């Protein structure tokens, strides 16, 4: 029986490695094909919109969007090249290989995300205000943290990771949608640091999140988006209807009172708290990117007219309630606090307005 189980595990790993290799080959090939294509679009956009934009002093939207897309692809290519160099450099090193791989991958991710943020600041006039300011790189955090974040707007997850890496000095262990593996550099680099792609290939999502949380050490941050997807009014209505169908009228009523967020899916959050009971919990609210929530709003709302505002608060582990029922109610109360903050700070153009 043991030999059979071992054989199945080996077979699963081989199949997984084959699928990963094929996927990364396909996405890298697509990346190489897209770069000259998008570069051509940048030139064409510049030629076509120059007469109108020069005459009207317009914002050069086609050029901005296609230029940023090209820059993103080039940054992705740089990430793949950096990952290949790190892999070759670490081949002879047998000691502490996993720790070195993770540290190098975090360093590359930090540089790439910082480049993308700087580009967004110039191209789309991105301005970010974080209150209170992150504590900065201390390098000796006493306890790990669980970071529960509102999800709304294009690029908010990348911006959050950049803030955690560059400004807070934390190592983000992130729960991501599996579709993001289509980004070749993100796929490779995330594969070298603790992470969790959902839905998992086997088992339950909350088990995968719990396993990830159990690995946390001081200086680590487990990042979860409890809503499960970007906020839109339609998704909010569907989520409330789902709660009623599942026989949760009180929770549905609470969700109806929160007009700017989706009701949190607390199974993953509860699993993380249970697996890392010594971790503090951080809640992150933000607004400013929620004006960009569809292809239409990308065109109409970029460059940004208002800055991105972020508010976070940290709750010590000792103040987190005991028991799933009490924790579920507590999480819902904290999410209502997120909703209230957004109501006070969101612009009229936000998705929920």
């Amino acid at each position: 029986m043991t030999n059979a189980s071992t054989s199945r595990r080996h077979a699963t790993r081989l199949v997984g490695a084959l699928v990963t290799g094929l996927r990364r080959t396909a996405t890298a090939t697509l990346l190489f094909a897209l770069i000259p294509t998008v570069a051509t679009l940048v030139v064409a956009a510049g030629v076509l919109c120059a007469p109108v934009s020069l005459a009207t002093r317009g914002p050069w939207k086609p050029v901005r969007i296609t230029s940023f897309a090209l820059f993103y692809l080039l940054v992705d290519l740089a990430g793949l090249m950096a990952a290949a160099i790190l892999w070759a450099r670490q081949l002879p090193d047998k000691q502490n290989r996993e720790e070195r791989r993770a540290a190098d991958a975090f360093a590359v991710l930090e540089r790439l995300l910082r480049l993308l943020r700087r580009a967004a600041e110039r191209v789309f006039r991105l301005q970010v205000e974080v209150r209170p300011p992150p504590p900065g790189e201390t390098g000796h955090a006493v306890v790990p943290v669980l970071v529960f974040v509102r999800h709304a707007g294009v690029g908010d997850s990348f911006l959050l990771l950049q803030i955690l890496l560059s400004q807070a000095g934390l190592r983000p262990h992130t729960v991501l949608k599996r579709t993001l593996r289509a980004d070749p550099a993100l796929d490779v680099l995330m594969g070298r640091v603790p992470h969790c792609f959902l839905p998992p290939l086997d088992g339950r999502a909350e088990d995968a999140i719990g396993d990830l949380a159990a690995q946390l050490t001081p200086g680590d941050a487990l990042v979860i988006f409890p809503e499960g997807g970007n906020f839109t009014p339609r998704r909010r209505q569907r989520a409330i209807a789902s709660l009623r169908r599942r026989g949760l009228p009180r929770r549905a009523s609470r969700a109806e009172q929160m007009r700017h967020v989706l009701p949190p899916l607390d199974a993953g959050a509860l699993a993380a708290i249970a697996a890392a009971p010594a971790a503090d919990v951080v809640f992150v609210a933000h607004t400013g990117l929620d004006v960009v929530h569809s292809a239409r709003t990308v065109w109409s709302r970029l460059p940004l007219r208002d800055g991105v505002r972020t508010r976070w608060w940290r709750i010590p582990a000792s103040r987190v309630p005991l028991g799933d029922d009490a924790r579920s109610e507590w999480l819902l109360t904290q999410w209502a606090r997120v909703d209230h903050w957004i109501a006070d700070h969101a612009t009229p153009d936000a998705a929920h307005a």
Side-chain angles (χ1 to χ4, degrees):
M1 188 68 177
T2 302
N3 290 337
S5 299
T6 303
S7 298
R8 282 196 298 270
R9 283 198 297 270
H10 285 318
T12 301
R13 289 174 183 171
L14 286 174
V15 171
L18 178 60
V19 171
T20 297
L22 291 174
R23 182 186 66 250
R24 290 178 177 176
T25 299
T27 55
T29 301
L30 181 61
L31 174 65
F32 282 104
L34 282 174
I35 288 175
T37 302
V38 176
T40 303
L41 289 176
V42 173
V43 175
V47 171
L48 292 174
C49 80
V52 175
S53 294
L54 289 172
T56 63
R57 295 184 179 180
W60 297 77
K61 286 186 180 182
V63 177
R64 289 177 186 270
I65 293 171
T66 53
S67 296
F68 187 82
L70 177 60
F71 185 77
Y72 184 97
L73 295 173
L74 292 173
V75 167
D76 225 42
L77 178 60
L80 282 179
M81 295 174 62
I85 292 171
L86 292 177
W87 176 79
R89 192 175 70 186
Q90 291 168 356
L91 279 178
D93 185 9
K94 300 295 184 182
Q95 284 189 329
N96 303 319
R97 175 175 290 185
E98 293 302 317
E99 291 82 357
R100 291 172 183 267
R101 276 165 50 93
D104 288 341
F106 276 130
V108 173
L109 278 170
E110 190 277 329
R111 293 188 187 99
L112 298 181
L113 291 171
R114 182 154 35 96
L115 284 172
L116 288 174
R117 175 172 171 176
R118 288 178 177 174
E121 289 171 346
R122 296 193 176 193
V123 176
F124 296 134
R125 299 172 189 165
L126 173 70
Q127 296 180 355
V128 183
E129 175 188 283
V130 182
R131 291 288 180 268
E137 293 192 26
T138 60
H140 55 274
V142 177
V143 296
V145 293
L146 306 175
V147 183
F148 300 147
V149 193
R150 184 224 184 175
H151 205 1
V154 175
D156 64 339
S157 54
F158 286 176
L159 181 59
L160 172 76
L161 293 180
Q162 190 273 328
I163 291 171
L164 290 176
L165 282 163
S166 300
Q167 296 178 241
L170 294 170
R171 299 179 295 270
H173 299 196
T174 311
V175 179
L176 301 164
K177 285 188 174 181
R178 188 164 292 278
T179 52
L180 289 174
R181 302 198 81 166
D183 182 310
L186 187 66
D187 187 13
V188 171
L189 292 171
M190 277 295 175
R192 299 183 179 188
V193 302
H195 70 281
C196 174
F197 283 110
L198 298 181
L201 295 179
D202 56 355
R204 302 183 306 165
E206 50 264 40
D207 292 336
I209 294 172
D211 291 342
L212 187 61
Q215 304 173 30
L216 294 175
T217 60
D220 294 340
L222 177 65
V223 181
I224 302 179
F225 299 87
E227 293 162 302
N230 263 320
F231 174 92
T232 67
R234 181 175 297 180
R235 283 181 178 169
R236 174 177 171 270
Q237 292 299 328
R238 287 203 303 261
I240 294 171
S242 174
L243 290 172
R244 295 197 184 282
R245 286 195 304 269
R246 289 157 48 199
L248 300 170
R250 183 176 178 277
R251 198 171 182 88
S253 178
R254 292 281 301 274
E256 283 184 323
Q257 297 172 20
M258 297 185 289
R259 304 191 60 84
H260 314 93
V261 294
L262 302 178
L265 307 172
D266 60 3
L270 293 177
I273 294 173
D280 291 350
V281 180
V282 172
F283 290 89
V284 181
H286 65 83
T287 188
L289 288 175
D290 41 10
V291 301
V292 186
H293 52 85
S294 66
R296 179 178 60 83
T297 54
V298 166
W299 179 260
S300 62
R301 302 301 181 190
L302 293 178
L304 294 169
R305 301 167 191 169
D306 300 290
V308 176
R309 295 181 179 181
T310 301
R311 174 76 168 88
W312 63 274
W313 54 94
R314 179 169 180 160
I315 300 175
S318 59
R319 291 176 52 194
V320 177
L322 299 176
D324 281 354
D325 290 342
R327 286 172 176 172
S328 180
E329 186 67 22
W330 175 75
L331 285 167
L332 199 57
T333 300
Q334 295 299 321
W335 218 242
R337 183 179 175 184
V338 171
D339 178 72
H340 292 154
W341 184 89
I342 295 167
D344 291 339
H345 295 86
T347 67
D349 296 333
H352 43 76

